[in-house]
Amino acid sequence: MDYTTQMDAAKKGIVTPEMEIVAAKEEMDINDLVEKTARGVVCIPANKNHTNLSPEGIGEGLRTKINVNLGISRDCADVEKELDKVRTAINMKAEAIMDLSNYGKTREMRKKILDISPAMLGTVPVYDAIGYCEKKLKDITKDDFMRVVRQHAEDGVDFMTIHAGINRATAQIVKKNPRRMNLVSRGGALLFAWMEMTGNENPFYEYYDEVMDIFAQYDVTISLGDACRPGCIDDSTDASQVSELIVLGELTKRAWEKNVQVMVEGPGHMALNEIAANMTMQKRLCHGAPFYVLGPLVTDVAPGYDHITSAIGGAIAAANGADFLCYVTPAEHLCLPDLEDMKEGIIASKIAAHAGDIAKGVKGAREWDNTMSDARKALDWEKMFALALDPEKPRKYREGSKPREENTCTMCGEQCAVRNMNRILGGEEVTI
């Protein structure tokens, strides 16, 4: 059929195979999905060259999805360890993986992930530019940046973070409004430094239409990066963050004009009482485009436990309209996470996403909990394990602390309220 991207197809009323898969996964009317995709409030990141992709939808009325960051760096360059993380993330049903590799054979790493992963793959091309071009940051040209973007698209990357909102005007606002933590976005800081050293405009902003032409050719979804996301709660909702968000709203419309699907990235670190308002503001300024948040982390004083501070904020964000959560691990701010850190981060993010789905009334979300409650009432341990987000951990606890009576646990024993209520309401005596 004659269409260039999922959005182009939706605008023409064409149902793509990817839309059919997403509609089935979400138990959603296909016509409703097509309409939302045409308006841009739902995106289906699906690069034409990612041949083994199992498509997922992100956006209005859909389940909140999670992303897992991984990748090699100069200090941790073991490709096989990172591929083990990929396999584990897939087994744990993460919907997306972002390869943030910035050292060594990044293309080899990226292609290996694409070969084994049915999950969406995201990248941040500016991370890769320095190694790919073998130049100092200040010597990289606009054409260099574009070559990296095109290579990622050709390889099959489904969505790319492009920090196009940190233009020279936004940079002036950053400089005039000093922050406690400055910029903490790696890509944003690199482009800010590049602009300062070269005196040039951000090439991703200046040549945005050229970027969109590449994205449309391969049906890459743009994830509009938040260079000015707050890196501590004291910097949230400030002039820099809001001014960049206004630019991202303008860029969203320009992408849609090219039939390029859009996600918009958001905070960051943010106090609990600001999260709901930020979700509303983003949706308003960015015309309902799907919102992708890192956290938000609701306090800055818990290094080693930031998967928890992130899950708290993520649940509130999802309940108030965020569509996609980037996981945070216990190693955040400290080091590259290992496999166990990654598992903890995935589970924390999936809990936050599901809690948000219950609050948003996403189809099937509450029913999952109700089925678990029925299994608990029946003291059906095997069914409880099968329904659990992480079946392995509850089974391990149960097997590691066996009760005297099978239909109890070692917390309450024969005083178990569930067992005793079942008995007394069933006409049996409770004998203790």
Side-chain angles (χ1 to χ4, degrees):
M1 291 188 182
D2 184 22
Y3 60 88
T4 56
T5 67
Q6 297 293 322
M7 173 172 264
D8 181 37
K11 287 178 180 178
K12 294 173 178 175
I14 297 170
V15 176
T16 67
E18 292 80 9
M19 292 176 196
E20 291 179 340
I21 293 169
V22 170
K25 286 182 176 180
E26 301 285 344
E27 299 180 38
M28 185 180 200
D29 180 84
I30 189 67
N31 295 315
D32 189 19
L33 179 64
V34 170
E35 187 270 337
K36 289 177 185 290
T37 306
R39 285 195 292 121
V41 298
V42 163
C43 65
I44 304 173
N47 188 309
K48 295 172 183 178
N49 289 343
H50 190 174
T51 54
N52 64 340
L53 176 71
S54 178
E56 296 284 355
I58 301 168
E60 185 181 296
L62 309 185
R63 289 179 296 106
T64 305
K65 308 305 188 297
I66 74 158
N67 170 68
V68 171
N69 288 342
L70 43 79
I72 52 176
S73 67
R74 180 180 292 274
D75 292 316
C76 299
D78 190 327
V79 170
E80 286 308 313
K81 280 188 178 180
E82 295 308 295
L83 291 175
D84 282 344
K85 291 181 187 177
V86 172
R87 296 181 188 98
T88 300
I90 293 166
N91 289 338
M92 295 181 75
K93 297 181 172 58
E95 290 89 3
I97 291 167
M98 285 199 80
D99 177 14
L100 305 186
S101 296
N102 61 7
Y103 175 76
K105 297 180 179 178
T106 56
R107 191 177 194 191
E108 179 182 314
M109 173 75 178
R110 186 163 59 249
K111 286 188 168 184
K112 285 184 176 181
I113 295 173
L114 285 161
D115 285 345
I116 65 174
S117 177
M120 297 177 281
L121 180 64
T123 59
V124 188
V126 72
Y127 293 0
D128 195 23
I130 297 171
Y132 175 80
C133 300
E134 297 182 334
K135 293 180 179 180
K136 296 289 187 183
L137 176 63
K138 66 184 176 70
D139 296 326
I140 296 175
T141 67
K142 165 257 179 181
D143 289 338
D144 291 330
F145 283 122
M146 294 300 163
R147 278 200 301 274
V148 175
V149 169
R150 181 171 289 280
Q151 184 187 86
H152 284 221
E154 289 174 352
D155 287 346
V157 171
D158 301 296
F159 64 97
M160 292 186 218
T161 295
I162 302 292
H163 297 88
I166 182 71
N167 57 20
R168 289 184 64 79
T170 311
Q172 287 303 310
I173 293 171
V174 172
K175 290 193 283 188
K176 289 177 180 178
N177 297 271
R179 286 177 149 191
R180 188 174 293 274
M181 278 290 293
N182 295 318
L183 297 186
V184 299
S185 160
R186 190 196 317 176
L190 287 170
L191 286 167
F192 184 97
W194 185 89
M195 287 189 289
E196 290 292 300
M197 290 187 293
T198 64
N200 295 329
E201 179 58 275
N202 178 352
F204 294 117
Y205 179 78
E206 186 174 3
Y207 301 99
Y208 188 70
D209 286 344
E210 187 174 331
V211 177
M212 291 303 92
D213 289 340
I214 296 170
F215 278 37
Q217 182 179 351
Y218 297 93
D219 199 0
V220 177
T221 297
I222 186 168
S223 185
L224 285 166
D226 53 335
C228 297
R229 71 170 180 264
C232 65
I233 62 172
D234 199 47
D235 290 339
S236 62
T237 326
D238 68 351
S240 299
Q241 181 194 337
V242 176
S243 62
E244 183 187 31
L245 191 57
I246 292 169
V247 177
L248 297 183
E250 296 168 355
L251 294 174
T252 295
K253 289 195 291 185
R254 287 176 59 187
W256 287 344
E257 288 168 3
K258 295 268 194 176
N259 290 321
V260 173
Q261 301 182 100
V262 177
M263 297 186 285
V264 179
E265 297 185 11
H269 294 234
M270 184 166 286
L272 281 170
N273 58 305
E274 295 180 50
I275 295 173
N278 266 263
M279 301 304 108
T280 301
M281 177 172 63
Q282 184 278 338
K283 288 284 186 174
R284 180 72 174 175
L285 291 176
C286 295
H287 321 292
F291 198 20
Y292 174 25
V293 296
L294 178 67
L297 283 73
V298 296
T299 179
D300 301 323
V301 298
Y305 299 91
D306 278 329
H307 58 311
I308 297 173
T309 63
S310 169
I312 293 168
I316 296 169
N320 286 280
D323 306 289
F324 193 25
L325 305 182
C326 186
Y327 92 150
V328 173
T329 76
E332 184 77 9
H333 304 112
L334 303 170
C335 64
L336 190 76
D338 64 18
L339 189 62
E340 291 306 311
D341 294 324
M342 189 194 77
K343 289 180 181 178
E344 291 292 318
I346 290 173
I347 292 299
S349 294
K350 288 180 79 72
I351 291 169
H354 180 61
D357 287 349
I358 293 169
K360 284 188 287 195
V362 171
K363 187 173 183 178
R366 187 177 285 271
E367 286 75 11
W368 184 6
D369 289 70
N370 290 344
T371 306
M372 174 64 89
S373 297
D374 292 342
R376 282 181 172 153
K377 181 181 178 181
L379 296 168
D380 186 339
W381 302 101
E382 286 302 320
K383 190 169 184 179
M384 288 184 234
F385 300 150
L387 288 165
L389 264 173
D390 175 15
E392 185 180 313
K393 193 165 188 177
R395 184 182 295 278
K396 183 178 177 181
Y397 276 121
R398 176 74 178 168
E399 291 177 353
S401 185
K402 287 286 189 181
R404 192 174 296 175
E405 298 186 38
E406 180 59 27
N407 63 350
T408 67
C409 78
T410 54
M411 172 70 80
C412 301
E414 61 184 3
Q415 293 182 18
C416 173
V418 176
R419 187 192 73 156
N420 291 338
M421 286 301 295
N422 286 345
R423 286 186 173 180
I424 201 70
L425 292 175
E428 300 178 49
E429 288 190 3
V430 172
T431 56
I432 299 177

